Structures are given as C-alpha cells and as structure tokens.
Amino acid sequence: MRKILKWLLRGLAVVAIFLALAAIWKREEIQRLMAVNSLFSEDKIVNNFSNMDAAFLTTKVARGAAPVSPLPKGEDMALPAGLDDWIISRNVTSLLVLKSGEIRHESYYLGTSPEDNRISWSVAKSYLSALFGVLLHEGAIASLDDPVTKYAPALKGGAYEGASIRNVLNMTSGVTFDEDYHDYDSDINRMGRELALGGTLDQFTADLKDSFATPGEIWQYVSIDTHVIGMVIRGATGQSIPNLLQDRIIAPLGLEQDLYYVTDGEGVAFVLGGLNITTRDYGRFGLMIEQDGYYNGTQVVPANWIAASTRASAPTKPDKRAYGYQWWIPSDGTPGEFFAHGVYGQYIYIDQTRDLVIVSTAADRKFRDKGIGQLNIEMFRQLAKNL
C-alpha cells in the first residue's frame, strides 16, 4: 500500500510539473484570454480601451516621415446645455470639435489624455473603406461587382460563395453572424477569443457556412463582412493591410503619433475594429474625408469614392439609419452628414455643409440601450448649432 501511495504521489508530481510547464508555455495566451474576458468590465473598460496591446497581439502602423499637420486652435465654442450630463452618462473619454480645420473644443475625461491610442472598434471599418477606394482607383481591384472569391479563394464553398465585393462593402452579404456582445457564445465573442488565443481570422471566416438571405437582398450589420474586404485587398495586392494603410492613407495625414492594429495569430490585422489612434489623429482622418479626400496638399482618397461610400447604398428601412460602404448615414440627415461609428461610443461625425468634424471616444457599457445612438447624433448636432 505504501509503495502504491509513493508511485501515486510521484505521478501527481509529474502531472503538476507538466501543468506548470504548460502554463508557462501558454502564459501569454492565458493572460490574453483573461484580459479579453474582463475587457468590458466596469472597473477596467476605460483603461483597457487605451491599452489594447495588453490584451491582444498587435502590429505598428508608422505615422510616416511627414511633419505633423497643424490643427490650429480657434475660438473656444459655447457648449450646449446638457453636454456635461451626456459626457457623464455616456462615459465619454474624449471630445474633439473641428470647425473649418480649427479646434473649437477639446477635452478628455476619466483619466485619459491626448496621447492615448484609443481603440476604434468599428470606426476602423471606415478607414478600410478609404483604403479600398484608393486601390480601386489604382486598378488593383477591377470591379465592385466581382465575387469576393475572385480575390479570396479560401472563401469558396462557404457562406460567402456568391457574394460580391459590393455586398460586403454595404453589408448585404446575407451571411449569418451573431453580433450580440452580451452573449458569451455569440459569433462576435467567439471571434474575440480566437484573436486572444492567436487563432486565424481567415480560417474563422472561411468556416462560416450559414446564410439568412441571398446576397444583395437584405441589409444586416455583419462585422465579419469587413474582414472579407480585408481578404479581398490582401488577395488583390499581395500586401498586408497595415503596410497599405500606412502608405496610402496614414503617411499623407501628418499624424502626431504612430498607431497600431490588433492582429490575429498570423499577424493579420483586425480590420473590422482593431485600430488604436489618438483623438486628434482621428480628427485628421475625419478632416480628410470631410474635404472630399483632400488633405495637407494631397488628394489622399479619390473624391468620387468619398461621395459613393458616404451615400446610402444598402436596402434599409426608411426610419432606420442608412448604410453606405462602411459609413453610416442618419435617416433624418442632411446631404453631407454621415459618420463612422464603433461600439461603446466611438464616433467620427462629419457634416460637410458645416465644414465640421466631431470625434468622440467613450467606454459606454449601455451603448445598446434603445435610443442611445440617436441621442449621440443629436448631441453632435447641438454642438454644431453652437458654433
């Protein structure tokens, strides 16, 4: 009996050593998974959104060699009634108002600062749209009506078989993808864990098999569609998104700081929501878009692509926000009014008729409550009226 017990203890010791070695070997993955599981916790969300490189693999996008483009300080604007309450209730972390290229208001909250690279979430989709427009103009991609499988053959036989580039640009792919951030087992949260554990998003996307509609028939917000745009771009050019974005979009803007993308385990950029940029540098991108793609003496993005991508092209209901090529258009908006929007309260709001760009970052855990999106747009409009 004593001999059996001795062998059992030795066996347990070996198992303990094996588990300890496995924990060391997988330590980074375990740490990232733990960070992802607490990413949106009330006591951590603000800090996490300024430090996404602690939870995920990342790759730098250099600002380039150009001098920093000026954002001159204009006269301080009068702030609308209710702004303070909105900032508190929406957990706003920064607010920047640019009128005619001048800073009319800039403020930071909850311990954040102008130097913080704040997570974009789906604001990144609009950056990818701008890059796509440049590559389309250059001829790297022949037509919006080409099937996505022409450039991303790994998608053959899956849910994206038969979808065109246009379908994924305006999110009418018809692909089934559960985007409930509050459901642990939703597709969007499974994708997040895939990122944290160093998995591959190309394979994750290719493994999707279900559709709810024929491509082009019904609009439904499907974030994974944006990853497919990234696959198309990479297939068409043979280059990575960070390198292309750095060269075509970022370098001409004269940003203040380098930025970075969250990536998967193969170093592929998380193009549907993984950019991390300072508030003022979000503003510079917004100014370029607001000025029909022209900024700092350079036509960065073709003006006709700005017009096409920020116009409603998806079949949405009349009382709902409309959607273009990775840009939102308010249902009650005026011509030239559109915005980039990310979950938890990230915005680049643009009104071309007013020569206005507003950037807002936040950590709003109630972002999905009824009416919050419209409330945010109305606050931006109130800011515009006070200029």
Side-chain angles (χ1 to χ4, degrees):
M1 183 67 181
R2 192 175 292 175
K3 191 173 183 180
I4 293 173
L5 183 60
K6 185 177 180 181
W7 279 106
L8 181 61
L9 289 171
R10 284 181 179 175
L12 289 172
V14 170
V15 170
I17 292 169
F18 175 78
L19 291 173
L21 289 172
I24 293 170
W25 180 46
K26 293 287 188 179
R27 180 174 58 190
E28 287 190 9
E29 289 184 10
I30 293 169
Q31 287 174 340
R32 288 199 302 270
L33 184 59
M34 290 174 65
V36 168
N37 285 337
S38 62
L39 195 62
F40 310 116
S41 299
E42 187 172 3
D43 60 334
K44 296 180 179 180
I45 186 170
V46 172
N47 182 69
N48 286 344
F49 281 14
S50 289
N51 298 281
M52 295 297 287
D53 48 353
F56 296 101
L57 299 170
T58 63
T59 189
K60 184 175 82 170
V61 179
R63 61 168 298 279
V68 173
S69 60
L71 288 179
K73 185 77 167 64
E75 181 184 353
D76 286 342
M77 65 179 292
L79 299 178
L83 180 67
D84 289 344
D85 290 340
W86 175 77
I87 287 168
I88 293 168
S89 63
R90 301 277 60 86
N91 250 29
V92 171
T93 49
S94 70
L95 180 64
L96 176 68
V97 181
L98 298 168
K99 170 70 173 176
S100 302
E102 293 184 337
I103 297 176
R104 300 293 300 277
H105 175 83
E106 182 179 15
S107 53
Y108 298 85
Y109 310 94
L110 301 176
T112 63
S113 77
E115 289 73 39
D116 284 12
N117 275 324
R118 296 292 292 179
I119 181 67
S120 64
W121 296 123
S122 290
V123 168
K125 292 179 169 72
S126 301
Y127 278 75
L128 193 68
S129 173
L131 175 61
F132 184 91
V134 173
L135 297 174
L136 183 69
H137 177 74
E138 291 177 356
I141 295 152
S143 169
L144 296 187
D145 296 311
D146 282 345
V148 296
T149 51
K150 174 180 177 180
Y151 304 94
L155 298 175
K156 290 181 179 178
Y160 281 98
E161 184 82 55
S164 70
I165 295 172
R166 191 185 306 275
N167 298 150
V168 293
L169 276 167
N170 65 15
M171 296 203 178
T172 58
S173 68
V175 170
T176 301
F177 187 81
D178 181 3
E179 204 141 339
D180 185 351
Y181 286 83
H182 301 303
D183 180 357
Y184 181 83
D185 293 317
S186 68
D187 292 317
I188 197 76
N189 284 330
R190 288 195 305 109
M191 184 182 67
R193 294 191 292 275
E194 189 81 9
L195 275 173
L197 292 172
T200 67
L201 287 184
D202 284 359
Q203 189 60 53
F204 182 92
T205 308
D207 287 342
L208 295 173
K209 303 299 181 185
D210 297 330
S211 299
F212 65 89
T214 302
E217 284 188 349
I218 299 174
W219 177 85
Q220 182 166 304
Y221 193 75
V222 175
S223 278
I224 204 71
D225 281 1
T226 310
H227 183 75
V228 174
I229 299 169
M231 293 178 73
V232 166
I233 289 174
R234 287 185 281 120
T237 64
Q239 298 184 57
S240 74
I241 302 297
N243 286 346
L244 289 166
L245 190 78
Q246 178 179 308
D247 180 53
R248 304 304 203 279
I249 304 297
I250 299 303
L253 297 182
L255 303 187
E256 294 180 18
Q257 291 185 191
D258 294 335
L259 49 148
Y260 66 89
Y261 261 118
V262 168
T263 73
D264 69 9
E266 292 186 338
V268 172
F270 183 51
V271 295
L272 58 95
L275 275 173
N276 295 262
I277 309 177
T278 68
T279 296
R280 284 198 290 264
D281 285 345
Y282 280 123
R284 288 178 169 90
F285 173 78
L287 281 173
M288 180 270 290
I289 298 295
E290 187 263 323
Q291 295 167 174
D292 291 323
Y294 185 83
Y295 187 74
N296 207 21
T298 301
Q299 190 68 44
V300 182
V301 179
N304 61 356
W305 179 256
I306 301 296
S309 61
T310 60
R311 182 177 64 243
S313 60
T316 49
K317 296 179 181 178
D319 61 335
K320 300 292 185 183
R321 293 187 302 183
Y323 202 69
Y325 298 147
Q326 309 286 292
W327 287 94
W328 292 95
I329 301 95
S331 58
D332 59 347
T334 57
E337 185 184 16
F338 52 90
F339 56 95
H341 174 36
V343 293
Y344 296 91
Q346 326 313 317
Y347 285 91
I348 300 176
Y349 170 86
I350 294 170
D351 187 338
Q352 291 178 308
T353 61
R354 295 177 184 266
D355 200 3
L356 175 71
V357 175
I358 298 175
V359 177
S360 176
T361 66
D364 184 8
R365 297 172 73 247
K366 297 181 179 179
F367 71 97
R368 285 212 163 175
D369 286 2
K370 187 175 181 180
I372 294 300
Q374 187 61 31
L375 174 70
N376 293 334
I377 297 303
E378 290 302 328
M379 180 51 68
F380 300 149
R381 288 169 173 169
Q382 285 298 316
L383 285 162
K385 289 177 181 178
N386 275 39
L387 288 166

